Structure formats: structure tokens, C-alpha cells
Amino acid sequence: MKTPNPEIFMNNQPYLSVVIPVYNEEARIGDSLKRIIQFLSGKDYTWEILIVDDGCRDRTIPIAEEILAGHDYRIVKNPSNVGKGGSIKRGMLDARGEIRLFSDADLSTPIEELDLLEKPLRDGFHVTFGSRAMKESRLLVRQPWYREMMGRTFNLMVQILHLPGIRDTQCGFKLFTAEAARRVFPLQTMKGFCFDVEILAIARRLGFKLKEVPVRWIDSPQSKVSPVRDAAKMFWDLIKLKFKKL
């Protein structure tokens, strides 16, 4: 994919879709959306934003609707709480863009890093994803030591069991071509935090070209990942994924 397909400008299909899963994000969704809009407004391509509501019980959605008014956006509401993985699957399949990014609501990876992920797509890659573990990565605010140790152990297991050569699967900033998204996400079954490993493994099995890209990253002190409960579930999911036919 060298340049945006000119047909997308004739059928109102956006070039880029940004998918953001949300669950009670009223404290940070406003600032994140303003930053995304400011960044994308300077681009010469069309774009849309999809907010996937995973059962918010606070003011996340009204805040998002107020900020996004006047722009190309959609609120996609899950029928029940399905988790981050399930929300991203829904959003990536509902998206209309020629390329499709999913990002965490807290913008731990700044939206400006999108340019770094887009370039490899133009050079023939199909899936690009941010990495915190490469030599060129810049961790502006690091995680507590115990979270970093958990992450390194998890990534080691991922490389041994599923994705040799990939240093970081868990950065929530991944960009797919429309074709890759349409073929990968229907096969996704995991709805929890381990879904990242599954979708990259599926993409690799289907023959899509993957590119890990070093990015800036800022740890969020409001992270919803439990270092005990969620870590145990993630490691168990890795084992289950090993025996699942992808």
C-alpha cells in the first residue's frame, strides 16, 4: 500500500479508522479525544473515530459525544461487558477505514506515534504495532518494577510458546490494513488481555507481514491491570492458546 486509494474519497470511506475501547473512562477520555482530533485534523486524509462502549456506567459516552460532535465518529455499544479484547474485535470489524488503528483510551502510546506505524504499511507490511521493548523505544514514564518484571516474564513466554522474535505484544497501539483486519479479527476468540498475542499469531499464520515498531510510551498510574489476578489469567491464557488451533 503506497498511497491512499483514491476511491475512498469518492465513496466516503475514510482512509483511517481509530478504534478506542472504553469502560468508565470519564476522567481521561476527554483529553485523549481532544489530542487525537488535533493531531488528525492536520492530516490530508479522511478519518473516523469509533468508541466501543463496553458497558460504561459513568459519563464517558456523553463526554465523548460532546467532543466528537462535528467529526466523523460512531459510538458502538456492546450488548454486555465483553472485555478489552472483545471490544477491539467489535470495533475493528465495524471500522470502515483502509487502515485501522486501535489505541488505549489513556494514550499511553501518544497518538503522534501513528506516523511511525503507518510508514511500514506503505512499504508493504500489513500489521504494525508499537513496542516498548526495543532498543529505540522511549519509556517516558516507566511502570513500577513489579509490573516490568511481570511484563518481561510474560513476553519471554510469548516468544517461547507463540511468537518468536517479537519482543512486546502487549502495547495497546496496533495498526492493520483493512484486508488484514477483515481476515484476522473474525478468528479472534480471546476477549481478555491475551487477545494481543492471539491476533498477532493469527496474522502471522495467515501470511501477513508484521512489523514491530519502537514507540514512546507513558505508564498510566490508573492502569486497570491487576499484577496478581490478571497476571495469573494471562499466563493461563497463554497455555490455552498453545493448544488452540489458530
Side-chain angles (χ1 to χ4, degrees):
M1 184 174 61
K2 301 300 182 183
T3 58
N5 185 344
E7 291 183 1
I8 68 176
F9 298 107
M10 296 187 295
N11 63 12
N12 294 321
Q13 176 189 356
Y15 173 62
L16 169 71
S17 296
V18 179
V19 174
I20 305 172
V22 294
Y23 178 70
N24 295 342
E25 297 285 356
E26 67 177 8
R28 48 192 180 181
I29 192 63
D31 289 342
S32 293
L33 288 176
K34 289 175 183 177
R35 184 169 178 176
I36 292 171
I37 291 169
Q38 181 180 31
F39 172 73
L40 293 180
S41 294
K43 298 297 181 182
D44 60 358
Y45 52 70
T46 55
W47 47 272
E48 66 171 356
I49 295 177
L50 276 73
I51 303 294
V52 184
D53 178 4
D54 197 26
C56 293
R57 297 190 297 268
D58 62 2
R59 297 191 65 253
T60 298
I61 301 306
I63 292 172
E65 289 176 328
E66 180 179 351
I67 292 172
L68 292 169
H71 299 283
D72 187 355
Y73 82 95
R74 283 178 286 153
I75 306 294
V76 180
K77 186 172 180 61
N78 292 333
S80 61
N81 182 267
V82 298
K84 179 180 178 181
S87 296
I88 286 174
K89 175 180 180 177
R90 174 85 182 276
M92 293 293 275
L93 290 175
D94 279 9
R96 298 178 295 125
E98 186 175 345
I99 63 174
R100 303 173 186 186
L101 173 78
F102 69 78
S103 170
D104 292 335
D106 61 7
L107 291 186
S108 290
T109 303
I111 187 62
E112 293 80 8
E113 303 300 270
L114 170 63
D115 290 342
L116 298 178
L117 269 62
E118 185 194 10
K119 184 180 184 301
L121 293 192
R122 294 178 182 270
D123 294 335
F125 287 88
H126 307 99
V127 181
T128 59
F129 51 99
S131 175
R132 301 161 295 181
M134 301 179 74
K135 181 176 65 174
E136 302 85 356
S137 304
R138 296 172 56 201
L139 306 185
L140 304 183
V141 178
R142 302 184 73 99
Q143 294 175 304
W145 67 268
Y146 54 88
R147 288 188 184 273
E148 287 200 357
M149 289 300 298
M150 181 182 80
R152 290 172 186 168
T153 303
F154 181 83
N155 289 333
L156 178 61
M157 288 188 64
V158 169
Q159 291 203 52
I160 293 172
L161 295 174
H162 300 288
L163 292 163
I166 292 181
R167 300 174 180 86
D168 181 14
T169 59
Q170 300 309 112
C171 180
F173 200 74
K174 294 180 173 65
L175 183 64
F176 286 68
T177 64
E179 179 191 6
R182 285 193 293 261
R183 292 184 59 193
V184 168
F185 284 94
L187 302 178
Q188 175 196 336
T189 61
M190 293 194 164
K191 298 178 180 179
F193 293 105
C194 208
F195 84 94
D196 295 87
V197 179
E198 184 184 26
I199 59 174
L200 293 180
I202 292 170
R204 177 175 278 184
R205 179 180 67 80
L206 292 176
F208 290 113
K209 293 177 63 178
L210 278 60
K211 179 72 171 179
E212 187 171 7
V213 179
V215 293
R216 291 180 295 153
W217 190 78
I218 305 165
D219 178 53
S220 171
Q222 298 173 309
S223 172
K224 297 175 181 178
V225 180
S226 165
V228 177
R229 181 192 66 249
D230 291 324
K233 187 176 187 306
M234 288 167 71
F235 286 120
W236 175 238
D237 282 347
L238 280 185
I239 301 300
K240 290 193 295 183
L241 187 59
K242 180 65 177 177
F243 297 99
K244 177 180 178 294
K245 186 176 181 181
L246 295 177

